[in-house]
Amino acid sequence: MADSGSEDIAVIGNTDLTPSESENNLKNTMVEKGTNLLKRMEINVAEAEKRTGKNAVNMQETYTVYLVETRAVDATSEGTTPVPDSLWRRYSEFELLRNYLLVTYPFLVVPPLPEKRAEFVWHKLSADNMDPDFVERRRVGLENFLLRVALHPVLSNDKIFYSFLTEENGWKENAFETGFQAMADSRLKALNATFRVKNADKRFADMKHYGDELQSVISQLLRVRARAADRLYGVYKVHANYGRVFSEWSAIEKEMGDGLQSAGHHMDAYAASVDDILEEEEHYADQLKEYLFYADALRAVCRKHELTQYELEMAAQDLTSKKQQQEELATGTVRTFSLKGMTSKLFGQETPEQREAKLKMLETQIEEGEELVKERNTECEEFVKSAWVDIERFKEQKDHDLREALISYAIMQISMCKKGIQVWNNAKECFSKM
Amino acid sequence: MSDTILDDNASSLSIPTDIARHMLDLDEDDDLEVFSKETTEGSSFNASMPTSPGSMINQYKFEEEEEDIDTKDIFVLVDNPESHVTAIETYITYRVVTKTTRSEFDSSEFEVRRRYQDFLWLKTRLEEANPTLIVHPLPEKFVMKGMVERFNEDFLEKRRRALNRFLNRIADHPIFSSTEDFKIFLTADVGALTSHKKLGPGFLSRMGESVRGLAATVRGVRNRPEEFTAMQEYVEAFGQKISSVDKVTQRIVREQKEYLEDLKECAPTYTLWSNSEEELAEPLRGMASCLERCYQETEEQVKELNDNLNPTLHEYVLCTETLKTVLRRRDNIQAEFEAKTEALLAKHADRESIREDLNKMEDRLELANNALKSDWTRWKKVMRTDLRSAFMDTAEKNVNCYEKCLAVWESFLLSQRTDAEGTQVSDSS
């Protein structure tokens, strides 16, 4: 099915580049690396709009829709920029797409969606989904999601994904027709497997553990960071009061007046500068959040492995037990305690005809069982193989992206320090004229 | 050493008996020997004195009045708080060190121990003797409830600095520094000080004065000269503004401290994360160490605010009260004079004796007004210097803090970029 392509795709995640810049970067690396969707098509989530409509229970609701634009790459290179094709999608449709991908490609680390509700907020950001800042950040996140999928060696070739991008009305039906909803594993089943599996591949167990740790540490980091950002905001903003008071004070002073007044202006500038700083901080937080959610996707792959392994083990165990039964029946010995054994002891042995029939049934079952074990074994092996390839790909992507995130954080800090130095040097200058 | 600098031929600063005449000489200290540069850098003090260079420089810094550095002939320092335990109470004394070349002092160096009460006595005495001169405020009497350890280090250091500033202001004041009370404060042993304290105007005479003062206050002053009204308006406004600045500064300190609390948790989280990673471990540890450094620098910055800007602003808040009191006293003197003038017009008045009193009061009023005017100018100059340098120091410290953090992040960035192979990175501005 999918061409797994070159695994070393250097996906540059959200740094301090604008979405269109980062998309360009993706495109550039794309052209070098693989045969992915983005080579043929530009993808944008260009706008967001509020809509109101009736929902499933016939009640009025307000929701946001996002404009997904696509444009064939070739057209642009010919010098003309045709109008892109576009359609509106709700967040829930993105969710549906992702669920489809999760079920259809359980061996892949599927890129995450931006959060449904604003979490880890600091006081300036509202936790309201209708808040324009939140909507904007979500727009960026959705675009990022589409780009990541489009860049993925396997996912980018998916027909339903293509349909999502290009067919306004038909895509849901197409998705449902694949019957993916029926294929989804129940949580209970997965949980059960996790506890009972005996010989899971150690690498996957380690990866799952890593996923747990990653999720825990990033959550902690996001929490701590949000609080610190809140405080920093307070510190800067209080300085605006200096501006106001210095200005009032300068009115009553003769020699000191000018110095005070101009120093006050710098204090105002200082207070105002925190808004930009914190916007960039928020950007950094978004990058971390993406990998917080990626951790979940990673763990999902590991859990699926456990499930397939468990089902293999179950099948094998079943087979063994059937073979044992066959042996017992054939030789007449009862090796293990069984109801059959008990009943035959209590109620007498079966007739030879009955035994014959049973043996025949067992033989069929054993045949089927062996088929099943073979099937499941192949399934398991293939899963392990493809999943591990994608996990390796994911690891490289993660290392690259997070390192870039740290670098851009450092750049942001540097810029903040430089601004601070400038403001306070100016203020000092003014104070010296007091 | 300072005592070798002044030779016998130099005319010394005589204790002015006529204060008014001295007021005019305020800026003409020509008769003082000019001291060598060494003195101003504090090397005149004994090496054995455990004074930090910082504290020495501190006490000179605000004396940046153009002429005065070279003519300063007395240096005082308050340091070394020690606690004393007696059966009745526990109290703190501070060491007061004096170095001087003034001839009215028997020696050139003195060292005594004084407690807060003694400083308070000195202040009160100076105020009583010079009702319209401006005495620098003392740190407040300790009234904070719920503070478990009354004498914790932080509090003592803050108080010591404030007492030091107070005493230095007195030493710099041309009139205050030449009073007998000041001299006794600096030089007398505990017994002598106690005896001297008892000699002051008694309780009853103080009562008498304040009763008269009260009467005058009730009557109110009728013809206050414009310039004093302007002063009063200024003091009102200044008081409000300086109080606001003080509050803003305190708020900043509070917010910074809370920020530091949260920042503190960041570095360990990155370290924790680095334990789960391979490739990322090194950059994550780098982040952790950057954040730790930034934390330390910010901590120092907050300390600077707390130790320097805050106390200075606070003192000027207290100054406002002093200024209001001084203006009130002047008003009272004028009110008394006006009352006496009216008394002259009463039918059965003893004109002769009233006229005599009136003359004295007129002189007194003129003296008070002149004293206030001149000290007002002086005060404004000192205030301007103090606040300017306090704000400049704060700005300087902030710049320093940012510069250090900048260096830390830049070196982190450099290490990451040299490690990264072929990854596309944007340029820092």
Side-chain angles (χ1 to χ4, degrees), chain A residues 189 307-316 369-383:
Chain A
K189 195 162 130 199
L307 188 57
T308 51
Q309 175 69 17
Y310 177 67
E311 296 198 323
L312 171 63
E313 287 173 8
M314 289 302 296
E370 276 174 347
E371 270 304 308
L372 185 63
V373 168
K374 221 163 80 178
E375 229 178 79
R376 293 237 169 122
N377 202 28
T378 321
E379 236 181 77
C380 210
E381 276 178 5
E382 276 182 13
F383 181 95

Side-chain angles (χ1 to χ4, degrees), chain A residues 12 16-17 25 210 213-214 217-218 220-221 224-225 227-228 231-232 234-236 238-239 241-242 245-246 248-249 252-253 255-256 270 284 288 398-400 402-404 406-407 409-411 413-418 420-421 424-425 427-428 431-434, chain B residues 234 237-238 241-242 244-245 248-249 251-252 255-256 258-259 262-263 265-266 269-270 272-273 276-277 279-280 282-284 287 291 309 380 383-384 387-388 391-392 395-396 398-399 402-403 405-406 409-410 412-413 416-417 419-420 423-426 428-429:
Chain A
I12 299 176
D16 48 7
L17 307 168
N25 286 341
Y210 169 75
E213 286 178 347
L214 189 66
V217 87
I218 292 186
Q220 193 179 324
L221 195 56
V224 162
R225 189 215 68 85
R227 277 204 305 266
R231 292 285 166 222
L232 191 65
V235 170
Y236 271 75
V238 176
H239 282 79
N241 288 319
Y242 271 152
V245 178
F246 282 172
E248 292 170 7
W249 183 4
I252 61 170
E253 297 288 348
E255 304 101 344
M256 287 168 64
Y270 184 69
Y284 173 70
L288 291 180
K398 171 219 17 134
D399 285 341
H400 176 276
L402 288 175
R403 169 175 268 196
E404 286 301 309
L406 294 179
I407 287 176
Y409 186 81
I411 291 175
Q413 290 292 316
I414 286 170
S415 152
M416 176 175 107
C417 288
K418 284 186 176 169
I421 289 171
W424 284 104
N425 266 332
K428 186 172 150 200
F431 287 136
S432 72
K433 300 207 180 96
M434 256 167 77
Chain B
Y234 173 83
F238 176 81
K241 300 314 155 202
I242 203 74
S244 293
V245 177
V248 171
T249 310
R251 173 98 186 270
I252 289 178
E255 296 277 341
Q256 283 275 43
E258 298 199 1
Y259 170 64
D262 290 323
L263 186 61
E265 300 189 55
C266 287
T269 310
Y270 280 102
L272 181 65
W273 186 359
S276 311
E277 297 285 346
E279 283 295 309
L280 283 179
E282 181 262 326
L284 287 171
M287 279 289 279
L291 288 169
L309 188 57
K380 283 213 76 174
M383 179 270 283
R384 187 174 165 201
L387 292 179
R388 174 175 56 215
F391 283 124
M392 278 178 72
E396 171 97 33
N398 287 354
V399 168
Y402 276 121
E403 279 177 345
C405 291
L406 178 67
W409 286 111
E410 277 184 335
F412 172 75
L413 188 64
Q416 293 310 306
R417 277 175 167 168
D419 284 351
T423 32
Q424 177 182 342
V425 186
S426 53
S428 73
S429 52

